[in-house]
Each structure stands twice: as structure tokens, then as C-alpha cells.
């Protein structure tokens, strides 16, 4: 089985950033803030995976500045990562991204079964994330962890996702024998109902000024073991 982590880093987002400059993903302040989170949380969590047999596809804006491209290029020294720079402005809506990721997976996959996993560029995953999702592989189903954490001002708070749909960290299992590779993006996580849930804490979201979705909602402070490897000191109490 071939595994792919799919990340949309910084791009034209008219559907999400409706009240902002649609090219905010290449605006200097926004991008420096995002790359700081990416370096402190996302990269070390991906690099610490107990199952490292995956390809990390990173979708980027074609106008990404050279300093950021240099960081992404250096990733390949530690992770099998493949940044792609779109040559056209396209919505970053998950469904709109499906064809992009599907096309690039077709070019690289020599396996009959694949697992595609969504990971946003300001989030992080436990070091057992890929391993546990792979163990739960079931063709035609989404797979996900039941619980995660929200990080706010250096503190971690447990967060539960509705049992009826997937979290933004969902994966999708499928065969490559079909004419179309669906990828995890063929349904948004709010509409992914056929989900196999792993009863554990597997992911983390960073609450920050540019994140308009992740808000603390009466979550409970928690104590964790060594599930997460980050370049940031966080108190899990």
C-alpha cells in the first residue's frame, strides 16, 4: 500500500478567504507567520512518524517567494516530500484540489491500494498517526482519530470531533484499479460519514490570529505522554 500526506500550504483561496486578499498566501506577513507554525509544529510531527513509508505532497502558490521555496526544498533531505507550484490561480477548496492531487498520485503510484491523508499547513499529527491509520485501512472507507488537541497560548486542550463525520485529519482508502483516484478530498470532512474511528488522540490544531475556524469551545486541559514531537514547548496540563 502506498501512503500520501496531502498538504495545501499557501495559495489563492477565494472561497475560504472571502473577506481577504485572495493572494494572502503569498503576502509576506501571512506567509512568514504560516511558515513559522509549519516549522514548529507540522514539519517535526511529520518527520517523527513511526511509519515513514509515505510521500508528502505539498501544494503551493506558483508565486511563492524564493525564501519559502528554499525551506520546502530542504525538506527532502529528511522526508520524501514533493512541493508543487501551481502555475495558475485555483481555489484551495478541498473538492477543487482533488484533481490536482489525483493527477500527481497517478504519476507516482505503483501500488494497487493507496491511503491519502489530509494535513493542513498549520496543524500537526502524533508520531503514530500514519502507522495507526494504515493499520485501520479498509477499502472505500474514511479513517480518522476520534480525538485531538487544540493548542492555544502554549497550552493543549483535548478536542472531540462529532462521531457522525470525520475530522480535518481524515484519510481515505482506495484501489488504484479504477479509472479515477478519488483521494481524501472527494468529500469534505463534514460530509465524510463512512468513517472508521480510532479511539485515541491523534492530531493537533493551532489556534492563531489567522485561523478563522479553530476556536476553543469548553475543551478540557489534558496531560499527554510522548505522542507529539514538535519544535515548540507546549504544556499538556
Amino acid at each position: 500500500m502506498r501512503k500520501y500526506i496531502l498538504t495545501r500550504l499557501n495559495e489563492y483561496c477565494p472561497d475560504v478567504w472571502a473577506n481577504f486578499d485572495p493572494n494572502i498566501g503569498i503576502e509576506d506577513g501571512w506567509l512568514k507567520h504560516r511558515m513559522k507554525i509549519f516549522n514548529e509544529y507540522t514539519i517535526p510531527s511529520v518527520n517523527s512518524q513511526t511509519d515513514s513509508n509515505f510521500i508528502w505532497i505539498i501544494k503551493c502558490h506558483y508565486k511563492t517567494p524564493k525564501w519559502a521555496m528554499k525551506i520546502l526544498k530542504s525538506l527532502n533531505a529528511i522526508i520524501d516530500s514533493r512541493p508543487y507550484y501551481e502555475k495558475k490561480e485555483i481555489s484551495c477548496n478541498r473538492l477543487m484540489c482533488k484533481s490536482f492531487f489525483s493527477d500527481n498520485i497517478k504519476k507516482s503510484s505503483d501500488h494497487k491500494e493507496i491511503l491519502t491523508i489530509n494535513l493542513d499547513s498549520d496543524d500537526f499529527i502524533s508520531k503514530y498517526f500514519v502507522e495507526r491509520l494504515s493499520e485501520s485501512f479498509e477499502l472505500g472507507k474514511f479513517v480518522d482519530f476520534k480525538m485531538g488537541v487544540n493548542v492555544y497560548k502554549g497550552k493543549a486542550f483535548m478536542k472531540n470531533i462529532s462521531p457522525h463525520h470525520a475530522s480535518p485529519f481524515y484519510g481515505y482508502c482506495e484501489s488504484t484499479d479504477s479509472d479515477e483516484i478519488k483521494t481524501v478530498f472527494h468529500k469534505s470532512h463534514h460530509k465524510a460519514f463512512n468513517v472508521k474511528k480510532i479511539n485515541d488522540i491523534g492530531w493537533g490544531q493551532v489556534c492563531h490570529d489567522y485561523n478563522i475556524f479553530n476556536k476553543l469551545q469548553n475543551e478540557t486541559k489534558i496531560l499527554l505522554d510522548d505522542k507529539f514531537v514538535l519544535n515548540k514547548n507546549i504544556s499538556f496540563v
Side-chain angles (χ1 to χ4, degrees):
M1 176 179 61
R2 175 69 79 183
K3 290 152 279 190
Y4 297 87
I5 296 176
L6 311 180
T7 296
R8 297 159 299 140
L9 180 64
N10 63 318
E11 55 188 334
Y12 183 71
C13 298
D15 53 333
V16 176
W17 304 102
N19 297 319
F20 295 86
D21 177 351
N23 284 306
I24 193 170
I26 55 173
E27 190 272 325
D28 192 60
W30 187 96
L31 188 55
K32 285 182 177 177
H33 179 271
R34 179 53 57 96
M35 291 303 290
K36 184 175 186 293
I37 294 174
F38 193 60
N39 277 308
E40 291 178 345
Y41 293 91
T42 315
I43 292 174
S45 76
V46 173
N47 188 41
S48 68
Q49 292 302 299
T50 53
D51 179 353
S52 60
N53 183 27
F54 59 84
I55 296 172
W56 191 10
I57 299 179
I58 306 172
K59 188 171 184 287
C60 311
H61 197 296
Y62 73 100
K63 291 183 180 178
T64 298
K66 290 183 178 180
W67 65 264
M69 293 175 68
K70 186 177 180 180
I71 293 173
L72 295 170
K73 184 178 180 180
S74 68
L75 270 181
N76 205 45
I78 57 172
I79 305 170
D80 189 354
S81 58
R82 304 180 187 183
Y84 291 90
Y85 300 92
E86 280 289 305
K87 293 184 179 180
K88 59 183 178 180
E89 294 179 337
I90 184 170
S91 167
C92 71
N93 177 281
R94 284 181 172 84
L95 298 179
M96 296 290 287
C97 284
K98 182 176 77 70
S99 60
F100 165 82
F101 285 114
S102 178
D103 290 345
N104 283 285
I105 287 171
K106 281 180 182 177
K107 296 174 185 176
S108 63
S109 181
D110 53 357
H111 290 64
K112 291 186 177 181
E113 298 174 335
I114 63 170
L115 169 65
T116 53
I117 302 164
N118 177 55
L119 176 61
D120 290 345
S121 60
D122 57 349
D123 292 334
F124 57 98
I125 51 179
S126 78
K127 63 184 183 182
Y128 309 109
F129 190 86
V130 173
E131 178 183 354
R132 297 288 300 279
L133 259 63
S134 299
E135 291 172 349
S136 300
F137 186 96
E138 190 171 334
L139 282 175
K141 277 197 172 185
F142 293 98
V143 60
D144 188 18
F145 279 83
K146 187 180 289 186
M147 296 167 286
V149 299
N150 268 358
V151 173
Y152 179 69
K153 293 185 177 180
K155 301 286 186 180
F157 300 81
M158 190 166 73
K159 182 172 183 178
N160 289 298
I161 290 293
S162 167
H164 305 298
H165 63 73
S167 78
F169 298 81
Y170 61 145
Y172 183 69
C173 315
E174 62 185 301
S175 169
T176 57
D177 290 337
S178 60
D179 294 333
E180 177 190 27
I181 293 178
K182 292 181 177 180
T183 82
V184 68
F185 290 128
H186 77 278
K187 285 188 179 179
S188 67
H189 71 93
H190 290 297
K191 296 181 179 180
F193 301 119
N194 186 20
V195 188
K196 189 173 183 179
K197 293 277 189 176
I198 299 170
N199 189 27
D200 202 352
I201 296 171
W203 45 263
Q205 295 176 313
V206 182
C207 298
H208 55 86
D209 292 342
Y210 288 102
N211 194 323
I212 61 176
F213 298 111
N214 298 337
K215 305 295 182 184
L216 292 175
Q217 298 175 341
N218 300 318
E219 284 91 347
T220 304
K221 290 183 181 181
I222 58 170
L223 176 65
L224 295 180
D225 53 17
D226 61 346
K227 290 179 186 292
F228 298 97
V229 177
L230 310 170
N231 287 338
K232 183 77 173 177
N233 291 326
I234 293 175
S235 173
F236 290 103
V237 289

